């Protein structure tokens, strides 16, 4: 072996060993995040105001939110389009999807694409039974099988119920600040700050499960922006979050995410749940 080549190989080996040692030091010495076993996920304690008799102009921002959350659950049908992005610095994750409700059945279609990972899922709920089906993000083709859960078991593993107004737990304790942003053309927009110690537990578990993370994400700030009609019907729901996640069990990365849900059909008789026959056939299996 020629001497210059030998020296080069030695340098490369030293650098590789140095990098490995550095990563090992980072892994063993950095503060460890919270593991899944360290968090207890209980059903979200969301507040709802039913049988409201007040005009929206006379309601506080939190009252309007709780009325809207109640009305959403009562809707016979709706369709909503979801879009979003996660900025992780070294990469960006694109999120898209749809939500459907028809009678007692609901479907959430979720797609996520980044340079690290691509995922696509369908989640169907009816009569407290949940079906989770994996798919191919590129072809939008889904498997012929689906994992079946009782709703309580699903929430324990996945953390959130997509039929709720948001991924946050919404009540008088978890909302630390609420304000009216605008009231224009019969539409009211509000902004809410969420306590990351109490309001995002289920969401953290959901991100851990869906993202295949080694630790629960650590939230720094969460903001909910909601636009509704003067009759307390949903127009759009936006979640803005700042948090850190750990990739490859070693590298903590700061992320900022924006997730927007826009409602296009409310109590519309043209709403249909895609592949409803497939899901119905799996419910009794």
């Amino acid at each position: 072996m020629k001497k210059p080549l030998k020296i080069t190989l030695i340098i490369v080996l030293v650098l590789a060993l140095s990098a490995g040692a550095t990563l090992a030091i980072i892994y063993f010495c950095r503060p460890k995040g919270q593991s899944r076993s360290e968090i207890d996920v209980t059903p979200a304690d969301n507040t709802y105001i039913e049988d409201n008799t007040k005009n929206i102009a006379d309601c506080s921002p939190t009252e309007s939110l709780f009325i809207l959350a109640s009305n959403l659950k009562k809707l016979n049908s709706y369709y909503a389009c979801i879009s979003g992005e996660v900025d992780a610095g070294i990469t960006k994750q694109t999120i898209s999807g749809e939500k459907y409700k028809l009678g007692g059945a609901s479907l959430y279609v979720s797609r996520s694409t980044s340079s690290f990972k691509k995922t696509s899922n369908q989640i169907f709920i009816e009569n407290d039974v949940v079906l989770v089906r994996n798919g191919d993000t590129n072809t939008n083709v889904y498997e012929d099988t689906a994992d079946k859960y009782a709703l309580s078991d699903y929430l324990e593993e996945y953390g959130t119920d997509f039929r709720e107004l948001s991924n946050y737990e919404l009540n008088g304790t978890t909302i630390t600040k609420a304000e009216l942003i605008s009231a224009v053309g019969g539409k009211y927009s509000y902004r809410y700050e969420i306590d990351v110690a109490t309001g995002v537990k289920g969401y953290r578990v959901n991100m851990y499960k869906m993202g295949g993370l080694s630790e629960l994400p650590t939230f720094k700030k969460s903001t909910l922006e909601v636009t509704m009609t003067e009759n307390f019907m949903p127009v759009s729901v936006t979640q803005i979050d700042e948090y850190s996640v750990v990739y490859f069990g070693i590298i903590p990365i700061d992320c900022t995410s924006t997730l927007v849900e826009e409602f296009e059909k409310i109590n519309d008789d043209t709403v249909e749940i895609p592949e409803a026959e497939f899901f119905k056939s799996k419910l009794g299996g």
Side-chain angles (χ1 to χ4, degrees), residues 118-174:
K118 294 182 180 181
T119 62
S120 184
N121 304 94
Q122 293 177 327
I123 303 173
F124 179 88
I125 303 178
E126 187 174 28
N127 297 326
D128 289 341
V129 178
V130 185
L131 298 173
V132 180
R133 188 185 187 197
N134 298 321
D136 188 309
T137 305
N138 295 318
T139 63
N140 208 31
V141 174
Y142 291 84
E143 296 176 352
D144 293 331
T145 60
D147 295 327
K148 184 176 178 182
Y149 300 83
L151 180 59
S152 58
D153 294 334
Y154 169 80
L155 293 177
E156 176 65 26
E157 186 165 344
Y158 283 81
T160 60
D161 186 337
F162 69 83
R163 299 172 299 178
E164 298 290 349
L165 185 63
S166 77
N167 288 318
Y168 308 131
E169 189 167 318
L170 301 176
N171 57 51
T173 300
T174 62

Side-chain angles (χ1 to χ4, degrees), residues 5 23 63 120 149 164-165 174 178 209 231 254 273 278:
L5 178 59
L23 290 174
E63 286 177 324
S120 184
Y149 300 83
E164 298 290 349
L165 185 63
T174 62
K209 173 67 177 181
N231 295 321
D254 290 332
I273 293 181
F278 168 84

Side-chain angles (χ1 to χ4, degrees), residues 188-239:
Y188 286 70
S189 297
Y190 302 90
R191 180 181 295 116
Y192 307 89
E193 293 184 7
I194 309 300
D195 180 11
V196 296
T198 60
V200 299
K201 291 181 180 179
Y203 193 20
R204 293 175 70 204
V205 170
N206 184 265
M207 292 173 65
Y208 169 86
K209 173 67 177 181
M210 300 294 283
L213 302 177
S214 58
E215 300 173 6
L216 294 175
T218 301
F219 272 68
K220 302 174 182 178
K221 184 178 180 180
S222 291
T223 303
L224 178 67
E225 295 182 354
V226 175
T227 298
M228 65 186 79
T229 68
E230 59 187 354
N231 295 321
F232 304 98
M233 289 291 110
V235 176
S236 66
V237 177
T238 301
Q239 297 178 179

